[in-house]
Amino acid sequence: MEKSEEEVDIEQISFGAESFAENPEPRCPCLLLLDTSASMSGDPINELNSGLTAFKEELATDSLAMKRVEVAIITFGPVEVKKTFHAASEFTPPHLSTTGNTPMGQAILEGIDLVGERKGEYRSNGIAFYRPWIFMITDGSPTDAWQSAAAAIKEGEKSKAFAFFAVGVKGADMETLGKISVREPLKLQGLKFRELFLWLSNSMKSVSRSVPGEVLALPPPSGWAEL
Amino acid sequence: MKTLLDDAGLPVRLGSTLGSGGEGRVYTVASVGGDSNTADLAAKIYHSPVSPDRRKKLQCMVSGQSDPLQKLTAWPISTLSDQNGSVCGFLMHKAAEAFPVHHIYSPAQRKREHPEVNWDFLVNTARNTAAAFHAIHAHGHVIGDVNPNLVFVSRDSRVRLIDCDSFQIFGKGKYFLCEVGVPHFTPPELQEKSSFSNIIRQANHDNFGLAVLIFHLLLMGRHPFAGVYTGSGDLVLEKAILDFRYAYGRNARQKQTKPPPNSVEPSILSQTIRLYFEQAFSAAGAEPDGRPTAQDWVSELDAFRTQLRACDDNPNHHFFASLPHCPWCFQEQHLDISYFIPLISDHNGGSFNLIRVWARIEAVPPPKSVNEFTYPPFSITPAALPPEAQFQKIMGVLTKVMAAFLAFGSLITLNPMFILTAIAASAGLLAHRTDTNKERRKREHRLNAARKAFSTLHAQWKREVGDGRFEEKLRELERIKADLEALSRQYAREKDLLQSHSNHMDPRDLDRLKQNFAQKQQQLQNDLLAGPDQLKNIIQASQAQRRSLSTSLEKAALNVAQAEADMTVL
């Protein structure tokens, strides 16, 4: 149990405003895959941006979730990592604008890689974590090959490596989304991004303090999804 | 708000919402029976109608209340009923100005929000938490749902347990069960239960959660089972608990787990505390009454807190006196992690708080980016050449044509007349050059002067109107902060030097050194305290400068453009 000076671990802790040593709470990673293709321009992207702000504000009401939830954002297309994983306390919502097409397949695969990398950092730093969530929001249909992404999602869900959720905004190709996501994709009512992100925030709060054995009781998505 | 009645039939008026959870909402209490002296009370009102079982549980808790329970928990004082006489909630004591225990066991949040909290405070809090657990167990109750939000800590390290209506209550010969629990604080023997709705919890179960909470408090927010797993695949925390893989335990290696890199280990604690952790997290602990009890923890932590001492170099470092070195200095020097930040007593009322002062400095918004000066649109007509230069210019063209003609002529004819005329024409060409050159030099000079004037003004603009001076000041404040942070270490070094160089050290030398450092510290602190105002002044000055400079700068830019245009006609 004694640790002499010679044995000091030389493993480096990753630099960030808060190191794992300063915040060793178990992490609850949440990756947002956000469609910023041209068809999202105008009201949809504005509502999405204000939804992100609401997400942060809602998380901020829970000091435990602030230490545990980590948010990352990938936008498509083109596929771009907007935010790597950081504690919610350090998450500042980006201002997204629209560009390009919808390379959904590539975005999903990069997202799965990003989650895998973060899990590696948790493991080597002795940080416990909850099952990561990958939460995709799109209003179109993939403009690239999505079949390998769908296979990766099936594999990840099966091995409980992550949970993948897909939300379609008006115009989304719900049929293809259903083939990509193992969980039934949900359709957003109008532009209720704010309600969607409040729900996401509350779900992350419950994930970060779940009760054993119980199937996680998420709040019903009735406030924003067409059911 | 509808009127509620307490057990004595007095009307209870609710105030503002304190918090809302899955089961109900907690309010402040405006008055009870017209008496508004109710600042220490709160009321929980359930969202949905109260079941008969819950009503009986609440009534049982109210009738079983005692002084220790009232002091150490938010125990129901009285049930609250609506107009129909149905129980819809209860009254309780409120934890005034208290915060959840995870706010101080998490190093980052503690340093940010409670920088005055040192390790001795955390040891005290651990002791008080154990005492509150003991009070519950002594009454025959069990907490059940031990979690990071259970314990509320006040500024003097006293604690109060909340969410008492979820506790397992023993009364009137029966158990009212606790049906919830958080996996990370659930003992191994209950990890695989699919539900808590039929399980009678034991104090020994709570004692697992208590040991986990104490571990978090004493060892910088780490979970005892969150280690680095050296086996293959993922090991979730629940499974690590189930398998007794205590990451810091003596059997950790066999269990393929090791402490996280750069963690603070139980070796900084007393032998007994280390044994208690081993016991609480081992298979033997999972046997009936196998773990150290809350009372065991109270007595051991009571003994332990008298064996702490403050570090000579950093008085805010408290540690177990039997250790050869200060573990917090070790962390700072070798791993660059400062768990406790200095709050040296000083002339600023003893309350200088570097983190807060620095936060105030960082809160000053930098000036809007105005580094680039935007030019107004110019319309420029090049200045006409003076008449003689204009005449010369025309003459110049003529002489050039003539000279060429004459030169050509003299070459083919070799007629002396031609040659003489050619020489005269060349002289005329030269004369023309002298005149134009004079004008060109004049205009070049003007252009250079205009450019120089502009660049001087532009540099001034960048410095005084852009973020130049703001940035300069910020860098200076950063240097001051670094100096201040290094000061206590520097003091320790010089003190060592003083002591090692003189066998008979004059205590007055030490006093002088101390005084010298106190003065330096005072100066640096004052410099930092003045920081936010200085930054704001810079922004204000830059706004004023901007107005006056932009007129001059516009004029200077116009001069440059004019001078450049004037060159084109030559």
Side-chain angles (χ1 to χ4, degrees):
Chain A
M1 232 155 64
E2 294 280 350
K3 185 164 160 185
S4 72
E5 287 192 21
E6 287 77 15
E7 282 176 338
V8 167
D9 220 311
I10 54 157
E11 192 151 357
Q12 300 293 294
I13 48 171
S14 67
F15 180 82
E18 277 178 11
S19 64
F20 287 130
E22 289 177 297
N23 177 13
E25 284 292 312
R27 297 302 207 275
C28 202
C30 175
L31 169 65
L32 304 175
L33 290 180
L34 305 176
D35 184 344
T36 52
S37 61
S39 55
M40 284 284 288
S41 59
D43 287 344
I45 197 79
N46 292 340
E47 292 302 313
L48 176 60
N49 277 322
S50 56
L52 284 173
T53 308
F55 182 49
K56 159 87 193 220
E57 282 166 4
E58 185 59 27
L59 279 176
T61 61
D62 182 333
S63 59
L64 200 57
M66 280 294 263
K67 289 188 288 233
R68 295 182 167 188
V69 176
E70 289 196 327
V71 186
I73 295 182
I74 291 181
T75 54
F76 58 97
V79 177
E80 190 188 345
V81 180
K82 281 276 181 197
K83 297 264 171 194
T84 52
F85 281 109
H86 275 300
S89 53
E90 292 160 39
F91 169 69
T92 42
H95 188 82
L96 303 177
S97 45
T98 56
T99 47
N101 50 6
T102 316
M104 192 186 294
Q106 192 202 342
I108 292 171
L109 291 172
E110 283 197 26
I112 293 175
D113 283 350
L114 191 69
V115 168
E117 273 167 38
R118 190 59 175 165
K119 278 168 51 169
E121 284 169 1
Y122 296 151
R123 274 186 218 109
S124 59
N125 284 286
I127 296 296
F129 56 91
Y130 298 87
R131 190 192 308 186
W133 276 30
I134 302 178
F135 205 87
M136 182 172 79
I137 302 175
T138 178
D139 75 334
S141 60
T143 52
D144 64 352
W146 50 266
Q147 286 78 0
S148 56
I153 290 170
K154 258 184 207 88
E155 174 53 36
E157 288 274 13
K158 203 175 127 212
S159 61
K160 299 191 170 175
F162 55 79
F164 184 92
F165 299 85
V167 176
V169 184
K170 186 172 183 288
D173 175 358
M174 297 306 284
E175 201 190 321
T176 311
L177 278 187
K179 289 178 188 155
I180 292 176
S181 175
V182 175
R183 290 159 206 267
E184 186 69 25
L186 292 168
K187 180 110 193 259
L188 189 70
Q189 292 175 23
L191 293 174
K192 290 197 167 173
F193 283 103
R194 192 185 152 78
E195 289 76 3
L196 161 67
F197 278 107
L198 292 182
W199 175 87
L200 183 59
S201 163
N202 285 319
S203 302
M204 292 320 285
K205 287 183 199 168
S206 8
V207 170
S208 67
R209 55 183 63 165
S210 51
V211 174
E214 265 180 31
V215 177
L216 186 60
L218 294 176
S222 47
W224 55 271
E226 290 178 8
L227 294 173
Chain B
M1 191 80 209
K2 55 192 177 183
T3 320
L4 301 172
L5 296 177
D6 73 0
D7 290 338
L10 295 172
V12 173
R13 259 191 342 109
L14 303 183
S16 54
T17 302
L18 281 171
S20 182
E23 280 188 332
R25 195 181 276 270
V26 177
Y27 298 88
T28 60
V29 174
S31 67
V32 176
D35 178 2
S36 55
N37 191 14
T38 50
D40 61 337
L41 292 181
K44 176 168 177 176
I45 308 298
Y46 294 100
H47 295 316
S48 41
V50 170
S51 69
D53 194 52
R54 166 158 276 160
R55 179 170 46 80
K56 281 186 209 142
K57 183 179 187 176
L58 289 174
Q59 286 164 344
C60 180
M61 290 179 85
V62 170
S63 62
Q65 62 182 298
S66 70
D67 278 352
L69 291 177
Q70 288 302 350
K71 244 164 71 186
L72 296 167
T73 72
W75 204 263
I77 303 169
S78 161
T79 60
L80 291 173
S81 311
D82 58 21
Q83 294 112 315
N84 308 328
S86 321
V87 171
C88 59
F90 62 91
L91 269 183
M92 60 186 156
H93 280 297
K94 185 170 77 180
E97 285 204 32
F99 40 83
V101 68
H102 61 87
H103 286 199
I104 55 169
Y105 71 53
S106 160
Q109 194 173 9
R110 169 171 50 75
K111 286 196 285 179
R112 209 166 45 235
E113 293 172 17
H114 306 281
E116 70 288 350
V117 167
N118 288 326
W119 200 57
D120 52 349
F121 187 102
L122 297 172
V123 172
N124 257 9
T125 308
R127 183 258 172 221
N128 289 341
T129 303
F133 271 61
H134 174 63
I136 302 293
H137 295 166
H139 281 77
H141 310 312
V142 178
I143 292 161
D145 180 18
V146 179
N147 71 77
N149 279 312
L150 164 75
V151 183
F152 269 65
V153 186
S154 62
R155 305 213 169 262
D156 59 1
S157 88
R158 280 187 297 183
V159 309
R160 195 184 278 277
L161 308 181
I162 66 157
D163 288 338
C164 299
D165 54 333
S166 79
F167 290 6
Q168 174 179 291
I169 301 300
F170 182 72
K172 299 183 178 146
K174 71 169 273 194
Y175 288 105
F176 297 92
L177 298 182
C178 167
E179 299 187 0
V180 283
V182 167
H184 293 181
F185 289 79
T186 298
E189 60 272 29
L190 298 182
Q191 278 290 343
E192 287 190 303
K193 301 288 180 204
S194 59
S195 149
F196 289 132
S197 50
N198 295 311
I199 294 174
I200 295 178
R201 313 282 264 271
Q202 308 294 329
N204 196 45
H205 298 151
D206 273 3
N207 292 338
F208 176 83
L210 173 63
V212 173
L213 274 179
I214 293 174
F215 195 95
H216 276 81
L217 276 163
L218 301 185
L219 295 166
M220 307 296 101
R222 296 275 182 181
H223 192 289
F225 291 85
V228 176
Y229 179 53
T230 55
S232 64
D234 269 340
L235 181 76
V236 295
L237 198 53
E238 289 85 337
K239 181 85 167 82
I241 293 173
L242 184 68
D243 296 346
F244 304 104
R245 292 178 205 265
Y246 171 38
Y248 307 78
R250 59 167 91 91
N251 298 324
R253 195 166 293 194
Q254 285 119 281
K255 303 251 182 205
Q256 292 180 293
T257 169
K258 57 179 187 178
N262 303 337
S263 51
V264 181
E265 300 196 13
S267 54
I268 68 158
L269 305 169
S270 72
Q271 182 70 24
T272 312
I273 295 179
R274 283 148 64 182
L275 285 174
Y276 276 7
F277 282 142
E278 290 279 356
Q279 180 75 10
F281 303 141
S282 71
E287 299 297 321
D289 298 324
R291 301 193 173 94
T293 63
Q295 194 173 16
D296 291 337
W297 280 111
V298 174
S299 4
E300 178 49 28
L301 289 167
D302 266 335
F304 186 65
R305 66 200 178 95
T306 63
Q307 299 171 60
L308 305 186
R309 74 178 188 88
C311 171
D312 294 332
D313 296 339
N314 293 291
N316 60 312
H317 289 176
H318 294 255
F319 64 98
F320 181 36
S322 303
L323 296 183
H325 307 290
C326 169
W328 314 119
C329 285
F330 178 86
Q331 289 279 334
E332 274 180 19
Q333 286 155 16
H334 295 265
L335 305 172
D336 209 19
I337 306 172
S338 293
Y339 283 111
F340 300 97
I341 47 170
L343 280 171
I344 321 170
S345 67
D346 50 48
H347 307 291
N348 288 314
S351 61
F352 183 86
N353 175 334
L354 185 56
I355 296 247
R356 281 190 197 150
V357 173
W358 191 251
R360 278 213 297 277
I361 288 172
E362 284 189 324
V364 181
K368 293 233 170 53
S369 183
V370 285
N371 276 337
E372 283 325 304
F373 174 74
T374 39
Y375 299 94
F378 300 124
S379 81
I380 304 241
T381 329
L385 290 169
E388 62 275 16
Q390 227 162 36
F391 175 71
Q392 289 288 352
K393 200 175 168 186
I394 297 163
M395 283 307 290
V397 176
L398 283 177
T399 17
K400 260 187 212 159
V401 174
M402 231 170 84
F405 171 72
L406 289 175
F408 181 71
S410 43
L411 268 177
I412 50 166
T413 61
L414 290 174
N415 183 324
M417 226 4 240
F418 265 113
I419 296 171
L420 277 176
T421 326
I423 291 170
S426 308
L429 195 69
L430 279 175
H432 152 71
R433 268 228 179 107
T434 343
D435 270 351
T436 326
N437 280 357
K438 214 195 268 164
E439 183 62 19
R440 184 191 300 277
R441 272 202 300 279
K442 209 161 110 194
R443 292 193 175 201
E444 263 172 6
H445 181 73
R446 267 213 303 269
L447 177 62
N448 286 341
R451 282 188 174 149
K452 206 170 150 198
F454 176 79
S455 74
T456 313
L457 275 171
H458 193 249
Q460 195 185 351
W461 167 277
K462 274 194 123 159
R463 200 172 54 248
E464 293 172 15
V465 179
D467 52 14
R469 280 183 57 184
F470 186 87
E471 286 295 318
E472 256 171 51
K473 186 79 209 173
L474 209 55
R475 294 291 95 74
E476 184 193 327
L477 290 170
E478 274 167 8
R479 280 194 298 277
I480 295 172
K481 174 171 171 263
D483 287 350
L484 189 58
E485 283 166 334
L487 203 64
S488 56
R489 246 174 270 169
Q490 201 185 334
Y491 170 67
R493 258 202 311 279
E494 293 200 19
K495 201 176 83 182
D496 281 351
L497 216 62
L498 194 68
Q499 282 162 339
S500 61
H501 277 299
S502 51
N503 293 335
H504 307 287
M505 192 187 56
D506 187 344
R508 279 173 302 179
D509 284 346
L510 189 62
D511 280 347
R512 265 196 292 278
L513 183 73
K514 229 183 235 169
Q515 213 176 354
N516 186 4
F517 268 87
Q519 264 168 14
K520 270 190 204 166
Q521 175 180 273
Q522 182 69 41
Q523 185 56 52
L524 294 171
Q525 288 179 350
N526 289 345
D527 289 350
L528 282 185
L529 284 169
D533 282 341
Q534 287 170 339
L535 288 172
K536 281 178 210 153
N537 287 343
I538 287 173
I539 294 175
Q540 264 173 14
S542 90
Q543 278 161 351
Q545 272 287 47
R546 183 182 188 176
R547 281 188 292 275
S548 75
L549 265 178
S550 64
T551 324
S552 328
L553 201 55
E554 261 170 45
K555 215 182 258 170
L558 186 66
N559 284 342
V560 174
Q562 181 68 57
E564 276 170 353
D566 289 353
M567 289 299 292
T568 57
V569 294
L570 275 166

